[in-house]
Amino acid sequence: MKKKICIVGVSGYVSEKLIHLISKHKHVDEISLVSSSMAGKKLFDVYPSMRDYFSDNIRIDEIDFKKINSHDLVFLCVPHNESSKLVDKITTKIIDLSRDYRLTKTYGLPEIYKEEIRNSELVANPGCYATACILAVYPIRHLVSEVIFHGISGYSGAGRMASQKFDYENNIIAYKLTDHHHVAEIKKVLDLDISFVPHVVDVFSGIMITAILYLKEAIDIPTIKKQYTEFYRNSFTEPVSQIPSVKEVVNTPLCKVYVHDEQQINKLIVVSVIDNLMKGSASQAIENMNLMFGFPTNTALSDY
Ligand SMILES: NC(=O)c1ccc[n+]([C@@H]2O[C@H](COP(=O)([O-])OP(=O)(O)OC[C@H]3O[C@@H](n4cnc5c(N)ncnc54)[C@H](OP(=O)(O)O)[C@@H]3O)[C@@H](O)[C@H]2O)c1
């Protein structure tokens, strides 16, 4: 049976991407949009390019929980501390894109928590940096004593409003050097001592993580690479043999992970890349929805 989907938060970067992906989902036949700032407008007024993907110009609603609860699943594409004001009033399945439930509810990283996601009513979609950091290390976490992550992100990672406040043009900005809010979720999943240093650059979307892994003991690289290949079989994470660039994954649901061939006295370098608006948020949310409904995980995500 086809599904009815509601998206709360329309004017943001993530919801724009999600609306586009949902338009291609063959098991969805009704989409409702709820906005705090755009209610009363129509989808093509806000996003004229959506004419290419939708036959109907959907009217954007104000929040009405009776209507929201008539859907099979709700995506919450709102800032942190806003999702938690809504969740208790929603009685249907939820995928929350904010960080409000990442430490307490099912963590929506399909490479690791597929079975839990299938059986959950509320899935917390992971943070964008956290996705790329965790996927860079997870298959060999038991061999690692400590990791230092250097993160580089496009400015869309901060959201539409926040990204307008900073001087990104021709610039590189380091920030939150010791207390980025994704550290807690990375630590919780990897259960390792980690440091994470984020930077924003003058690129719209894309994240590159360069991870320095301190190994408990020297292990040969082919054994390590085999563990990545086996762990990520049949997923959107691809171990690759050349250093990947962000351009290779922008507008795709992929994470590419590269293990560098030279190990320096128990130190290993791993590079991972994702699009923060895809694997870092919207396409990963679709993966989670597919799992929650028992659809093949690549539904609406194979066309890139
Ligand atoms: N950007 C990324 O790369 C990324 C990656 C992973 C996760 N996330 C998370 O996904 C969520 C959406 O991110 P985003 O980048 O799309 O953010 P955004 O561009 O700032 O959009 C957030 C949207 O939330 C709605 N909203 C509802 N209540 C709000 C309030 N009190 N203040 C401001 N906005 C409010 C607004 O839509 P309406 O005006 O239509 O109501 C707003 O456009 C956030 O929780 C974010 O942390 C973002």
Side-chain angles (χ1 to χ4, degrees), residues 8-16 34-38 60 76-80 82-83 85 96-99 102 125-128 153 156-162 181-182 207 276-277 280-282:
V8 179
V10 173
S11 65
Y13 281 142
V14 172
S15 50
E16 181 177 2
V34 173
S35 170
S36 59
S37 64
M38 303 281 165
I60 300 169
L76 298 178
C77 296
V78 297
H80 67 279
E82 291 300 321
S83 288
K85 291 179 193 161
D96 178 28
L97 279 288
S98 85
R99 62 177 190 259
R102 289 181 195 154
N125 226 58
C128 45
S153 174
S156 63
R160 201 186 292 275
M161 296 284 277
H181 44 272
H182 289 181
I207 283 179
N276 54 296
L277 295 178
S281 54

Side-chain angles (χ1 to χ4, degrees), residues 40-194:
K41 293 192 177 175
K42 290 198 160 185
L43 177 63
F44 303 160
D45 306 332
V46 184
Y47 300 121
S49 65
M50 295 282 182
R51 281 174 207 280
D52 297 342
Y53 306 104
F54 288 90
S55 51
D56 292 333
N57 193 1
I58 303 166
R59 187 182 183 281
I60 300 169
D61 297 323
E62 55 192 23
I63 199 143
D64 169 353
F65 288 101
K66 198 166 168 223
K67 184 162 182 204
I68 287 177
N69 289 331
S70 69
H71 294 78
D72 296 296
L73 184 141
V74 182
F75 291 101
L76 298 178
C77 296
V78 297
H80 67 279
N81 295 334
E82 291 300 321
S83 288
S84 47
K85 291 179 193 161
L86 309 175
V87 158
D88 285 350
K89 298 180 191 116
I90 298 176
T91 54
T92 188
K93 291 182 194 296
I94 302 173
I95 297 177
D96 178 28
L97 279 288
S98 85
R99 62 177 190 259
D100 288 356
Y101 294 95
R102 289 181 195 154
L103 302 178
T104 53
K105 298 289 182 187
T106 301
Y107 194 65
L109 194 52
E111 280 79 351
I112 303 173
Y113 299 109
K114 200 171 257 178
E115 285 314 313
E116 291 91 327
I117 296 165
R118 276 197 180 110
N119 296 309
S120 291
E121 291 296 302
L122 167 53
V123 168
N125 226 58
C128 45
Y129 278 126
T131 295
C133 290
I134 292 167
L135 293 174
V137 175
Y138 196 84
I140 60 160
R141 71 201 178 288
H142 53 290
L143 306 174
V144 176
S145 57
E146 187 188 345
V147 191
I148 298 175
F149 293 106
H150 295 260
I152 303 172
S153 174
Y155 56 84
S156 63
R160 201 186 292 275
M161 296 284 277
S163 65
Q164 286 158 11
K165 288 187 202 151
F166 298 97
D167 179 18
Y168 293 121
E169 203 176 326
N170 292 321
N171 208 354
I172 303 173
I173 302 169
Y175 66 109
K176 289 187 181 272
L177 299 182
T178 54
D179 63 346
H180 192 276
H181 44 272
H182 289 181
V183 167
E185 56 190 283
I186 300 168
K187 273 190 174 165
K188 182 163 189 251
V189 176
L190 293 180
D191 195 18
L192 286 172
D193 186 8
I194 69 140

Side-chain angles (χ1 to χ4, degrees), residues 253-286:
L254 300 176
C255 174
K256 293 196 177 185
V257 179
Y258 167 76
V259 176
H260 190 52
D261 286 307
E262 280 172 53
Q263 188 181 118
Q264 312 155 347
I265 328 170
N266 298 5
K267 259 192 297 183
L268 183 71
I269 298 182
V270 179
V271 178
S272 64
V273 289
I274 59 168
D275 182 338
N276 54 296
L277 295 178
M278 290 288 284
K279 183 66 177 166
S281 54
S283 72
Q284 187 140 263
I286 298 282

